[in-house]
Amino acid sequence: MLGAYFDFIRIRFLTMLAYRVNYYSGILIYTLNIGVNYFTWRAIYGDGESLGGFTGAQMTTYVAVSWMARAFYFNNLDREISTDIRDGSIAIQFIRPYNYVLVKMMQGLGEGLFRFMMLMIPGMVIAILLFPVQLPTDLSAWAGFLAMLFFSFLISSQINIITGLSAFFVENNEGMMRMKRVVVDLFSGLIVPISLFPGWLSSVLEVLPFQAITYLPGSVFTGRVQGVGIWNVLGIQVIWFVVLLIPIVWLYHAARQRLFVQGG
């Protein structure tokens, strides 16, 4: 049965491969995003050497790696689940001999692997050539970042699944999905590093899962977190991964009891 789940990874990867031209344009879009942020932060720094604990070089690196990491962990599982619920195909999914949520995670991973190879890696190479990105020299930083990147995908996907499953209870969760995307991009540290938020808001975000998606991996890659601290922040990601399993399991079981098909 485990092999069947891995097949979902392979099938989604091959499906994305059929539309790989979209991801070539995605490289351009992500590079433009990095460029806009790079010149914006250069203007903000001016002659200053440090801001919010970030040097100018660290901020450039943080911006580049954060946007390219997003290329890996981003997916539309929330929209896929919501669509399955609205068109009634979820009923067929539920009677098949597999766990629907786990299948979605595997499909998301297949898409993520494709994005990692076809968007993140080539996009990061271009960013290094165009902007003064400083790569880590410590192997533990690379190992920690790659492990944290995987957990970024898991936590982001869990939030998407929770948002998607909410369609069982509100029927149309389009507004919720849009709000979720804005909240995740802003409060994960993608747009503005969490250390630059006001003190009270920064303290609040430290007890929410969003920082585990972008800010913590970016802090490791830029060298702001080193040594034992790398494994401490990885532990935060692991904790949030376990915690987010609770609402997913509850929503999934509650949804199976509530299932009805619109128009049928």
Side-chain angles (χ1 to χ4, degrees):
M1 189 62 186
L2 186 61
Y5 286 110
F6 284 112
D7 281 340
F8 283 105
I9 299 176
R10 179 180 59 83
I11 292 170
R12 177 59 67 93
F13 185 96
L14 294 176
T15 300
M16 303 306 295
L17 191 62
Y19 301 98
R20 57 186 177 275
V21 174
N22 292 339
Y23 289 90
Y24 297 151
S25 62
I27 294 174
L28 175 62
I29 293 171
Y30 273 75
T31 303
L32 288 174
N33 282 327
I34 293 172
V36 169
N37 281 273
Y38 168 70
F39 290 110
T40 300
W41 284 111
R42 276 194 60 183
I44 293 173
Y45 270 80
D47 296 328
E49 296 182 358
S50 179
L51 182 64
F54 283 87
T55 65
Q58 284 179 328
M59 183 62 77
T60 299
T61 303
Y62 177 87
V63 167
V65 74
S66 294
W67 276 100
M68 286 307 166
R70 184 181 187 273
F72 169 68
Y73 67 69
F74 177 84
N75 57 57
N76 286 307
L77 293 183
D78 50 350
R79 192 168 299 278
E80 292 179 20
I81 294 172
S82 180
T83 299
D84 287 347
I85 294 170
R86 287 200 303 269
D87 65 18
S89 61
I90 190 73
I92 303 300
Q93 300 286 347
F94 275 0
I95 64 175
R96 288 176 176 169
Y98 52 61
N99 183 285
Y100 175 76
V101 171
L102 187 54
V103 165
K104 285 301 177 186
M105 286 291 287
M106 295 298 103
Q107 291 176 335
L109 181 57
E111 180 177 344
L113 291 174
F114 177 85
R115 285 171 165 269
F116 181 81
M117 295 174 60
M118 303 297 292
L119 205 167
M120 180 180 174
I121 292 179
M124 195 65 188
V125 170
I126 294 175
I128 292 171
L129 294 175
L130 295 178
F131 309 107
V133 176
Q134 295 182 342
L135 300 178
T137 56
D138 188 353
L139 289 179
S140 63
W142 279 104
F145 172 74
L146 291 175
M148 295 184 73
L149 184 62
F150 178 67
F151 276 97
S152 293
F153 159 78
L154 293 177
I155 294 170
S156 176
S157 297
Q158 286 176 308
I159 294 174
N160 284 347
I161 288 172
I162 291 171
T163 306
L165 289 176
S166 69
F168 273 109
F169 306 93
V170 299
E171 296 186 22
N172 188 342
N173 63 344
E174 182 67 30
M176 188 177 298
M177 288 189 291
R178 292 182 180 181
M179 181 182 69
K180 181 271 306 177
R181 181 170 297 183
V182 172
V183 168
V184 169
D185 284 350
L186 179 60
F187 292 156
S188 69
L190 176 66
I191 300 174
V192 179
I194 290 177
S195 61
L196 296 182
F197 281 92
W200 64 270
L201 182 55
S202 179
S203 299
V204 171
L205 295 180
E206 287 177 357
V207 296
L208 295 177
F210 307 116
Q211 65 163 346
I213 298 175
T214 301
Y215 180 69
L216 296 182
S219 295
V220 169
F221 194 87
T222 56
R224 297 183 73 247
V225 176
Q226 301 178 356
V228 177
I230 295 176
W231 309 112
N232 290 337
V233 294
L234 177 59
I236 294 175
Q237 285 188 312
V238 173
I239 290 172
W240 275 116
F241 168 71
V242 174
V243 169
L244 289 174
L245 288 175
I246 298 173
I248 289 176
V249 171
W250 182 84
L251 282 171
Y252 182 66
H253 285 288
R256 292 180 69 91
Q257 300 299 321
R258 184 181 174 84
L259 175 63
F260 68 92
V261 178
Q262 298 184 43

